[in-house]
Amino acid sequence: MLLAGLLLGTAALAQSDFRRAQELAFSGEREAARELCYEILSESPGHLDARILLGRTYAWDGRYEEARKELAYALQQRPDYTDARNALVDVEMWDDKYERALMLLDAGLARNPTNADFLYKKARVLRKLE
């Protein structure tokens, strides 16, 4: 019973910290958001939303390789997680790597052929590739 209580408390704390990291990231305090994401991940390595936020903050700063590393890890852990795939597609598009984006989108659409985000982004990528 004590272990279950500790796990629930840890999860609640991680969720509270994650909301704070989101607030920091969206208010432009990306370095502080990344630090908080790393704290969350040190306590809860499987917190994929924190890893995705971390990757997005790197991408927003043009640090695409670091973003790819974090987002690829999240996608590897959960290949069906659309948030992770969407974030990685965004990175590839922002870095003008449209062929990579297209491969990710095709894989996502193979898993979820009616995903509106994937369909929209695929149309944008195809337009860029002419």
Side-chain angles (χ1 to χ4, degrees):
M1 194 63 111
L2 179 61
L3 180 59
L6 287 173
L7 291 175
L8 286 174
T10 301
L13 183 58
Q15 195 56 32
S16 172
D17 286 346
F18 176 68
R19 283 191 296 275
R20 178 69 182 131
Q22 284 179 309
E23 291 170 8
L24 290 167
F26 296 133
S27 69
E29 297 178 60
R30 290 189 288 272
E31 191 57 44
R34 284 191 283 268
E35 288 175 19
L36 193 48
C37 285
Y38 278 123
E39 287 179 30
I40 294 166
L41 291 168
S42 73
E43 295 292 322
S44 303
H47 197 301
L48 295 184
D49 290 329
R51 191 164 302 275
I52 292 167
L53 181 62
L54 179 62
R56 282 201 177 274
T57 65
Y58 280 133
W60 295 336
D61 286 342
R63 296 165 63 177
Y64 299 124
E65 287 306 315
E66 291 161 289
R68 280 185 189 98
K69 178 183 164 216
E70 298 300 336
L71 297 170
Y73 178 85
L75 193 56
Q76 180 183 21
Q77 298 305 303
R78 283 195 41 209
D80 289 332
Y81 197 12
T82 57
D83 288 350
R85 187 170 303 275
N86 259 324
L88 190 51
V89 166
D90 287 343
V91 169
E92 300 305 354
M93 290 172 63
W94 295 335
D95 196 23
D96 298 327
K97 306 293 185 202
Y98 297 108
E99 293 84 8
R100 287 185 197 174
L102 185 58
M103 288 184 347
L104 288 163
L105 288 163
D106 285 342
L109 287 165
R111 294 174 179 278
N112 186 352
T114 60
N115 183 293
D117 286 335
F118 293 163
L119 290 168
Y120 173 73
K121 288 178 182 181
K122 183 171 181 175
R124 288 183 55 206
V125 166
L126 289 173
R127 185 174 181 166
K128 288 288 187 178
L129 291 172
E130 298 179 356

